[in-house]
Amino acid sequence: MRNQVFDPMGGFFARTFLIYGLPLGLFAVVLRQGWVGGSRNFWVAFAWGLLIPALNTRLGLGRPWAFRDYLDRDYFPPTIAVLHGAAWVLSVQVAPGLGWSLAAFLLFFLCYDFLLIRSGILCVYALDLSIHRRGALAVLLSFGLVWWGYLGLALAAAHTWGSDSPLSIVCWVLAIGAPAQAGLLWLHRVRARPERLRNIRRVAVVGAGWA
């Protein structure tokens, strides 16, 4: 019988590696190589991964996706933004051409999200339950492929036509983030609009504490 590792924390090791170990490890590599600095390849991707989740949480738009922390609560770890920047910089520096960089970036994050979903760490609330029942691959094809495909093409455009000046980086962050934000607004207001329960007048919230 094959030996199995008992994990009393319910995914502690997978969560630690995928959410913290891998992003910080890749960031250490690009930092050591001197590929960060004022590079648009890092900062545009980093700002995307940091601002889009923070903005949607601040606006109260719900969470199309969220990660699960050690106490099984939804949150957005800032190390994911570091992973965005490090993964794109590595793709650009290592791959032989921009097309290969885009393919490597897309493949990396599809595999990464697959591991997150299978480990119960990434929750994509934007999709119907019927899609989740078909497995992690169905979730990736319905949400991840579009999401990472858009970001990869946008980062490739910033790499080609942008510059490393702070103004250019800010402009590209806004140019990339605006269409994505519009799509998330549409998702929230049209597809994911909560149903009105007209016949319910009194409710009880169990476990709300002081609320």
Side-chain angles (χ1 to χ4, degrees):
M1 182 176 178
R2 185 178 61 180
N3 294 328
Q4 295 181 352
V5 177
F6 175 66
D7 186 359
M9 299 299 292
F12 175 85
F13 297 109
R15 183 173 285 105
T16 301
F17 172 73
L18 293 172
I19 299 297
Y20 298 100
L22 182 61
L24 295 178
L26 293 181
F27 178 66
V29 171
V30 299
L31 197 63
R32 181 176 178 82
Q33 295 294 328
W35 293 339
V36 179
S39 171
R40 63 189 180 279
N41 290 320
F42 178 83
W43 291 109
V44 172
F46 172 83
W48 162 280
L50 191 66
L51 296 179
I52 289 293
L55 178 61
N56 283 275
T57 301
R58 182 67 177 174
L59 292 177
L61 298 178
R63 291 181 172 179
W65 75 98
F67 300 88
R68 308 294 284 178
D69 68 4
Y70 292 99
L71 299 178
D72 206 31
R73 300 171 300 188
D74 288 353
Y75 81 130
F76 292 112
T79 50
I80 297 300
V82 174
L83 184 62
H84 283 69
W88 178 244
V89 169
L90 281 171
S91 299
V92 170
Q93 294 292 337
V94 174
L98 189 58
W100 288 105
S101 299
L102 178 58
F105 180 81
L106 180 60
L107 181 61
F108 171 81
F109 271 105
L110 288 178
C111 293
Y112 180 72
D113 281 1
F114 180 82
L115 294 176
L116 290 175
I117 295 171
R118 287 298 300 270
S119 302
I121 301 172
L122 175 62
C123 303
V124 183
Y125 298 115
L127 300 179
D128 297 332
L129 184 59
S130 59
I131 297 177
H132 287 278
R133 287 172 177 167
R134 295 202 296 267
L137 185 59
V139 175
L140 291 177
L141 293 177
S142 301
F143 185 83
L145 188 61
V146 177
W147 186 259
W148 296 116
Y150 169 77
L151 180 58
L153 290 172
L155 293 176
H159 171 77
T160 303
W161 294 299
S163 68
D164 290 342
S165 68
L167 179 60
S168 177
I169 292 174
V170 171
C171 289
W172 275 103
V173 170
L174 295 177
I176 294 173
Q181 187 61 44
L184 292 175
L185 283 170
W186 174 84
L187 182 68
H188 173 73
R189 295 180 179 178
V190 179
R191 289 194 56 188
R193 182 188 302 174
E195 297 180 359
R196 294 183 179 180
L197 304 177
R198 300 178 182 278
N199 297 326
I200 296 179
R201 293 294 180 267
R202 301 178 66 184
V203 298
V205 181
V206 179
W210 282 86

